[in-house]
Amino acid sequence: MQIKAPRGTYDILPPDTGRWHYVEKILRETAEIFGYQEVRTPIFEHTELFERGVGTSTDIVTKEMYTFKDKSSRSLTLRPENTASCARALIEHSIYSGILPAKWYYIGPMFRYDRPQTGRYRQFHQFGVEAFGSNNPYLDAEVIILLVEVLKRLGLNDYELHINSVGCPQCRELYRQKLIAYITPVKDKLCSDCQTRYEQNPLRVLDCKEDTCHRAIAGYPTLLEHLCHDCARHYAAVKEALKASHIDFQHDDNLVRGLDYYTNTAFEIHIPGIGAQSAVGGGGRYNGLVAECGGPDLPGIGFAMGIERLLLAVDTVAGREINAGNTDVFISIMNDAYEPQALELLTRLRLAGIRAEKDYMGRSGRAQMKYADKLGARLAIIIGEEEIAQGFYTLRDMQSKEQVQISDQDIINSVKHRLAIA
RNA sequence: GUGGGUGUAGCUCAGUCGGCUAGAGCACCAGAUUGUGGCUCUGGGGGCCGUGGGUUCAAGUCCCAUCACCCACCCCA
């Protein structure tokens, strides 16, 4: 039986890797312009970190983690997300006693044992940013502006940004009580999923898609009306800042993000038309996280984006195609006796910083030209009997088909010159 | 974890009621054009028909199982 990539994983091969580089470059550049620096944390961590950081009631922790024991019986887990690791690193290296806010970004693979689907994999890639140490609402806005800017730079102008505030532990608990009181009389009318949500996390009943549930709880009290004074002011400032920055968004009472660590601002960004998994990014404020992981009481805000979903969107919505040629110059020899000279010149071109290639399959002269064409070469250098006898190279422009004779000492500069103006 | 769909060449897919040596297009290689690419034409290499079992004189085709992928639920990025 042939061995294949495990379920939910896949290979990224050329020329696809070029598309990844293109997206990754935009992500890194944008983050750095906004003042975020890259962090790289381990791919696996102690299981306890995610249990505490993500929350034991979440789907991620209860059923989606890749957990294993190492040879010393430590329980380790392949990271399902990177925010908890960032908080751990921040604490471990006492970053909080340095210059604040600490503004980090990351990019890399995450792992969740989930049923694969369009835009959903078991090993997938996230880009994300985290800003620790400030509870300033304008930092919330900065992070959202960065998220939107990334989409704009990828040509994804058609997005839906939803925001909400989930308050602080105090006002959220008060609201939870009210909501439970509101739902309890109509509990029996809810779908079976909502029956369990009602027990575990009543707020999640709000974003159920079932019509019957919507009707059953119609007129429910909203989080927005129950925010405490500070939380309400914080949320108002975020919205005001987004408006001032001309960012379109919509308040969404039903946006209740699943992870336990969120406080105050929560947001999610969708791109219509890429399937059921249309959330390309989501995040929020997590003021309780650092303390929960054993550090000081330090606020934080961040988001994560799914790179597979971004690529899906770039393909299906933005319709962008990125394919640069493999090479610029191809050396064609008309007799295999010229292999040594060809390789010598090839290396000289390469050491001069020029992407150059030759044939290694024993192709005929004609086939070498076909090959050059497939590689996207803009220039071909032809070495045949006449060239060897008289000591020059034939330089062919693949587009115009013009050919000129160039001496050995001029060849590098001539190639450079032609590539620069082409 | 639940429901539905699909597995045939590297890719996209035909393959009738179970019946001769399993096909096409694209891609790849070669030739036409022995010193020159894109177009065209000709030829060639490539298949455990996802895997395992069953029914049958006979299975790519029917049945069962299994695995994988796709779509949706769930959840999320």
Side-chain angles (χ1 to χ4, degrees):
Chain A
M1 176 92 156
Q2 198 193 135
I3 297 175
K4 293 193 249 175
R7 178 160 207 202
T9 70
Y10 63 99
D11 302 304
I12 305 168
L13 305 172
D16 259 10
T17 35
R19 302 186 324 121
W20 280 77
H21 291 157
Y22 167 79
V23 170
E24 285 164 3
K25 189 172 171 225
I26 287 177
L27 296 171
R28 289 175 189 284
E29 280 175 2
T30 315
E32 281 167 25
I33 285 168
F34 277 69
Y36 293 77
Q37 290 180 297
E38 184 178 5
V39 289
R40 300 190 189 192
T41 64
I43 298 290
F44 56 87
E45 297 269 4
H46 289 287
T47 303
E48 191 192 350
L49 174 67
F50 301 117
E51 289 172 346
R52 282 167 62 180
V54 179
T56 44
S57 73
T58 60
D59 281 12
I60 289 177
V61 171
T62 54
K63 47 193 194 197
E64 294 174 5
M65 293 207 301
Y66 275 96
T67 297
F68 61 97
K69 281 208 152 86
D70 72 4
K71 294 190 181 192
S72 304
S73 291
R74 282 180 279 257
S75 179
L76 301 170
T77 294
L78 261 35
R79 62 184 190 190
E81 54 97 60
N82 209 14
T83 301
S85 303
C86 286
R88 195 221 81 233
L90 180 101
I91 297 163
E92 186 166 339
H93 303 286
S94 303
I95 303 299
Y96 51 81
S97 62
I99 299 168
L100 295 178
K103 294 170 64 174
W104 290 350
Y105 78 87
Y106 59 82
I107 184 164
M110 308 294 159
F111 306 84
R112 289 184 201 172
Y113 189 89
D114 214 344
R115 185 108 175 224
Q117 191 180 328
T118 305
R120 190 166 78 188
Y121 303 90
R122 289 184 171 180
Q123 174 174 345
F124 61 104
H125 298 79
Q126 282 188 337
F127 160 79
V129 309
E130 315 287 356
F132 293 98
S134 164
N135 192 36
N136 188 313
Y138 301 101
L139 184 57
D140 302 33
E142 170 184 293
V143 159
I144 293 170
I145 290 166
L146 167 51
L147 173 66
V148 169
E149 179 61 21
V150 164
L151 296 187
K152 283 186 186 162
R153 289 184 180 208
L154 288 169
L156 301 168
N157 298 306
D158 194 17
Y159 57 82
E160 284 173 17
L161 173 63
H162 292 238
I163 69 170
N164 194 10
S165 171
V166 296
C168 58
Q170 289 75 37
C171 52
R172 185 163 59 224
E173 182 52 29
L174 274 172
Y175 170 71
R176 215 174 71 95
Q177 302 297 344
K178 273 207 176 177
L179 187 65
I180 291 170
Y182 190 85
I183 295 176
T184 304
V186 295
K187 190 179 114 188
D188 297 337
K189 293 180 186 165
L190 300 177
C191 68
S192 60
D193 284 336
C194 281
Q195 301 280 343
T196 50
R197 289 191 188 112
Y198 168 83
E199 302 292 340
Q200 289 173 354
N201 189 352
L203 302 210
R204 296 215 64 89
V205 175
L206 300 184
D207 63 359
C208 179
K209 279 113 202 152
E210 292 288 332
D211 251 11
T212 49
C213 295
H214 278 175
R215 266 180 271 132
I217 61 166
Y220 62 87
T222 64
L223 252 164
L224 186 62
E225 315 163 331
H226 292 80
L227 293 178
C228 63
H229 178 70
D230 285 351
C231 288
R233 263 187 51 189
H234 186 101
Y235 189 46
V238 173
K239 287 189 288 188
E240 192 192 351
L242 291 178
K243 275 181 201 154
S245 294
H246 316 291
I247 304 284
D248 287 328
F249 65 89
Q250 42 190 305
H251 168 78
D252 184 349
D253 280 320
N254 299 334
L255 177 60
V256 182
R257 309 215 75 238
L259 282 47
D260 283 0
Y261 53 61
Y262 284 111
T263 60
N264 295 294
T265 316
F267 54 92
E268 214 166 77
I269 199 153
H270 290 260
I271 295 195
I274 60 166
Q277 308 302 322
S278 64
V280 297
R285 184 162 271 290
Y286 39 81
N287 289 349
L289 176 66
V290 177
E292 181 62 39
C293 292
D297 187 10
L298 202 71
I301 169 113
F303 69 73
M305 302 184 96
I307 299 180
E308 282 81 358
R309 291 181 188 178
L310 284 178
L311 281 164
L312 193 59
V314 169
D315 285 349
T316 61
V317 182
R320 282 199 187 174
E321 195 133 336
I322 317 112
N323 52 347
N326 288 338
T327 197
D328 290 322
V329 185
F330 191 91
I331 301 177
S332 256
I333 53 173
M334 294 305 145
N335 184 319
D336 61 15
Y338 311 140
E339 291 269 13
Q341 291 96 316
L343 188 61
E344 189 275 336
L345 176 59
L346 181 70
T347 306
R348 256 197 290 153
L349 286 163
R350 287 171 170 171
L351 296 186
I354 297 159
R355 295 192 306 171
E357 191 55 281
K358 74 182 281 302
D359 170 58
Y360 289 106
M361 297 302 288
R363 287 176 169 87
S364 67
R366 182 180 139 74
Q368 286 178 60
M369 295 304 287
K370 282 191 170 192
Y371 180 42
D373 194 48
K374 278 172 199 156
L375 293 182
R378 293 146 69 190
L379 297 173
I381 294 171
I382 295 154
I383 305 176
E385 279 169 40
E386 204 183 331
E387 284 81 358
I388 293 291
Q390 297 178 35
F392 64 87
Y393 297 113
T394 296
L395 183 59
R396 177 184 178 86
D397 183 311
M398 295 294 275
Q399 243 176 14
S400 68
K401 301 187 181 187
E402 271 180 279
Q403 294 194 174
V404 289
Q405 300 183 351
I406 309 286
S407 72
D408 184 70
Q409 64 172 10
D410 290 342
I411 188 72
I412 302 288
N413 281 336
S414 182
V415 164
K416 274 191 179 174
H417 180 68
R418 276 157 216 272
L419 288 178
I421 55 175

